[in-house]
Amino acid sequence: MYVIAQAAPSAAAIPSVAHATWAGHDEGVNQISIWRQTLEPGAATPPHRHECDEVVLCQAGFGELHVDGEVHRFGPGSTLILPRGRDHQIFNTGEVPMETMGVFGASPVITYLPDGQVLDLPWRS
Amino acid sequence: MYVIAQAAPSAAAIPSVAHATWAGHDEGVNQISIWRQTLEPGAATPPHRHECDEVVLCQAGFGELHVDGEVHRFGPGSTLILPRGRDHQIFNTGEVPMETMGVFGASPVITYLPDGQVLDLPWRS
């Protein structure tokens, strides 16, 4: 499987989040996962961390990244750098859907809540 | 460094290729590299392979992926899956610049020519 059409994000089991997995172990790679997501205005991810590095590309929308006790505002054309093991949370603080691509340095992606509990995500990772 | 503005690709030492490194070890991750590139009409990459998995997201333009003795045509909205160690070559066969994002499962990215020689690339990898 070398060429795949990019699917639009669709409703996930998590409210206010639409998701499409564009690449990962099911597609034939285990060092990379790519998640295309939409986060509705006013919504946020839970605070969480990953066992692998993450890079988020923001294509549309405005938000805040909370990490290390700091708040970083971002908008379209921003790249968020999230080294592995760093607790973080992303908020859509704007008035339009936030369109992102999450790139991870592993597949599957292992996600933890701040207390160390594994967060089971409702999509292919 | 958590939030970085995405730079437009600029001329590289390789003719017909413009490049911007959006993420990698200089930005604080070593499991991921992201390269934003533009390939001019009629141009092609050399045949090559990487020591890590690669996923190419085609945002604009039309081309061919040559891999494993097969030719796969692709266009805007295509994802190319290139497991590590697989020789491949990408051609812009269309009439407009090809806009791509190359995602790699390592940083730095090690690139080989088919004969096993390391290809020194003129950008941060």
Side-chain angles (χ1 to χ4, degrees), chain A residues 41-60:
Chain A
T45 70
H48 68 284
R49 63 178 180 269
H50 304 286
E51 207 172 58
C52 59
D53 288 339
E54 178 181 7
V55 175
V56 177
L57 305 173
C58 176
Q59 299 164 305

Side-chain angles (χ1 to χ4, degrees), chain A residues 1-119:
Chain A
M1 184 193 316
Y2 288 115
V3 177
I4 306 169
Q6 292 164 5
S10 59
I14 298 178
S16 304
V17 177
H19 175 97
T21 297
W22 278 4
H25 61 102
D26 285 1
E27 287 72 33
V29 287
N30 57 29
Q31 293 181 317
I32 300 167
S33 287
I34 300 180
W35 299 353
R36 177 69 182 81
Q37 294 190 327
T38 306
L39 186 64
E40 293 302 319
T45 70
H48 68 284
R49 63 178 180 269
H50 304 286
E51 207 172 58
C52 59
D53 288 339
E54 178 181 7
V55 175
V56 177
L57 305 173
C58 176
Q59 299 164 305
F62 295 86
E64 289 181 0
L65 167 66
H66 292 205
V67 62
D68 279 347
E70 299 169 358
V71 175
H72 301 266
R73 291 189 188 172
F74 63 90
S78 297
T79 298
L80 314 186
I81 303 286
L82 295 163
R84 53 190 173 279
R86 204 78 53 103
D87 284 327
H88 60 275
Q89 188 171 17
I90 292 174
F91 297 77
N92 181 345
T93 58
E95 300 186 356
V96 297
M98 178 182 290
E99 306 293 345
T100 62
M101 192 149 36
V103 175
F104 300 86
S107 182
V109 175
I110 312 298
T111 303
Y112 297 100
L113 296 170
D115 67 3
Q117 188 184 339
V118 172
L119 181 59

Side-chain angles (χ1 to χ4, degrees), chain B residues 11-123:
Chain B
I14 299 178
S16 304
V17 176
H19 174 97
T21 297
W22 278 4
H25 61 101
D26 285 1
E27 287 73 32
V29 287
N30 57 29
Q31 294 181 316
I32 299 167
S33 288
I34 300 180
W35 299 353
R36 177 72 180 83
Q37 294 189 327
T38 305
L39 186 65
E40 292 302 319
T45 70
H48 68 285
R49 63 179 180 269
H50 304 284
E51 207 172 57
C52 60
D53 289 338
E54 178 181 7
V55 175
V56 177
L57 305 172
C58 176
Q59 300 164 304
F62 295 86
E64 288 181 0
L65 168 65
H66 291 203
V67 61
D68 279 347
E70 299 171 0
V71 175
H72 301 266
R73 292 188 187 171
F74 63 90
S78 297
T79 298
L80 314 186
I81 303 285
L82 295 162
R84 53 190 174 279
R86 204 79 52 103
D87 284 327
H88 59 275
Q89 189 171 16
I90 292 174
F91 297 77
N92 182 345
T93 56
E95 299 186 356
V96 296
M98 177 182 292
E99 305 293 346
T100 62
M101 191 148 37
V103 175
F104 300 86
S107 181
V109 175
I110 312 298
T111 302
Y112 298 100
L113 296 171
D115 66 3
Q117 188 184 339
V118 172
L119 180 60
D120 280 328
L121 292 168
W123 48 69

